[in-house]
Amino acid sequence: MASNQQTRPGITELAKDRATGRIGVVMGEVGGRVQMRPVRGGREWDAMRSDVEALSAREELSVRLAARNGNSRVGL
């Protein structure tokens, strides 16, 4: 979500779990919990909906660049 507005991220968008400080991809929502997955894959975790926030444009760019650089190091 590349904007300065802090809105609730939708499915497949990057978001931050404020409770843990982790950044991931929103995979779904059940009740008051959001299922998130690490950007480069891995085990999903549940976050409270109230703790999930959209990334700023700068944060999103940084995360996407880090993931791309990591993938290029392993030949993906």
Side-chain angles (χ1 to χ4, degrees), residues 2-76:
S3 77
N4 289 331
Q5 287 182 334
Q6 292 298 318
T7 59
R8 302 243 183 216
I11 294 175
T12 73
E13 292 183 328
L14 290 172
K16 180 188 290 185
D17 177 358
R18 287 188 314 239
T20 63
R22 296 173 71 185
I23 293 175
V25 179
V26 175
M27 301 304 291
E29 182 176 355
V30 176
R33 296 192 176 269
V34 176
Q35 290 76 42
M36 297 180 68
R37 179 181 52 83
V39 176
R40 292 188 64 207
R43 189 174 185 167
E44 291 184 7
W45 76 93
D46 286 344
M48 295 301 295
R49 186 65 175 151
S50 59
D51 290 332
V52 176
E53 67 181 15
L55 300 180
S56 68
R58 180 176 289 201
E59 287 173 314
E60 185 170 347
L61 180 61
S62 178
V63 168
R64 290 187 187 280
L65 182 59
R68 180 157 238 170
N69 285 340
N71 287 342
S72 70
R73 282 191 281 274
V74 295
L76 295 177

